[in-house]
Amino acid sequence: RAYTVIPHVPDSPTRADLQSRLHVATLTLAQKFPGTPGKAFTRPYDVTTVMPIDQALRSTSRETFSLVFAAAGALVLLACLNVTGLAAARVQDRRHELTLRRALGGRGGDLVRLLAAESVVIVTTGAVAGLALSVPLMNAATALLPDTLVLFRPLEIDVRVAAFVV
């Protein structure tokens, strides 16, 4: 009673046509194997449903995909907040130095450029570290996925997403 049939249908008939053909096949099986009275689960399926493979896989894996997507989003958000926090802490630690530079005649634009250059270095270092750790972390996260999760292709780092995050 717990079978999933995934046929390859080259002619691409309509879903209704496939449903009717499956219903006829089920009725034929029910006549051929009527089951044993009094015993549960001995008859073929009474109800059969035709659905596209992507819909069938999504219906069983939607929660897992949502969880993985939310975890990845939270990880990116935490990484961005961490790097921003490091940059802000660095500026806060240098408050006295910046005040002294300003008192000695440093222009505001020069100080902003200095802080921007340092922030770029910190953010670049964080991005490089994140990209370097992305593959090992992805492999570790993939190992935690349940065996029932069906993947159409192996997971890989999408360059467009990595560029967007950077």
Side-chain angles (χ1 to χ4, degrees), residues 94 97-98 101-102 104-118:
R94 296 183 61 197
E97 174 195 343
L98 295 173
R101 285 179 183 256
R102 183 76 171 153
L104 292 174
R107 295 182 307 212
D110 294 337
L111 296 178
V112 169
R113 273 198 309 275
L114 174 69
L115 293 175
E118 290 177 355

Side-chain angles (χ1 to χ4, degrees), residues 17-31 48:
D17 183 38
L18 282 176
Q19 183 69 49
S20 66
R21 288 165 64 184
L22 185 61
H23 183 68
V24 169
T26 303
L27 290 177
T28 304
L29 283 174
Q31 291 171 355
T48 55

Side-chain angles (χ1 to χ4, degrees), residues 134-154:
S134 62
V135 173
L137 289 175
M138 181 187 65
N139 292 337
T142 304
L144 296 174
L145 293 176
D147 295 334
T148 57
L149 180 66
V150 178
L151 299 175
F152 288 112
R153 61 181 183 183

Side-chain angles (χ1 to χ4, degrees), residues 22-110:
L22 185 61
H23 183 68
V24 169
T26 303
L27 290 177
T28 304
L29 283 174
Q31 291 171 355
K32 214 177 214 186
F33 305 101
T36 307
K39 289 191 177 179
F41 305 113
T42 56
R43 289 185 44 193
Y45 285 108
D46 294 324
V47 177
T48 55
T49 305
V50 173
M51 68 175 62
I53 189 169
D54 60 336
Q55 181 183 351
L57 293 177
R58 276 197 311 257
S59 66
T60 60
S61 303
R62 181 176 300 276
E63 293 172 0
T64 304
F65 282 130
S66 298
L67 181 64
V68 169
F69 183 75
L75 183 64
V76 168
L77 179 63
L78 285 173
C80 290
L81 289 174
N82 192 21
V83 170
T84 303
L86 286 173
R90 179 119 171 97
V91 168
Q92 187 67 18
D93 287 345
R94 296 183 61 197
R95 185 180 61 212
H96 296 296
E97 174 195 343
L98 295 173
T99 303
L100 183 61
R101 285 179 183 256
R102 183 76 171 153
L104 292 174
R107 295 182 307 212
D110 294 337

Side-chain angles (χ1 to χ4, degrees), residues 111-134:
L111 296 178
V112 169
R113 273 198 309 275
L114 174 69
L115 293 175
E118 290 177 355
S119 295
V120 166
V121 169
I122 291 173
V123 169
T124 302
T125 304
V128 168
L131 288 174
L133 291 173
S134 62

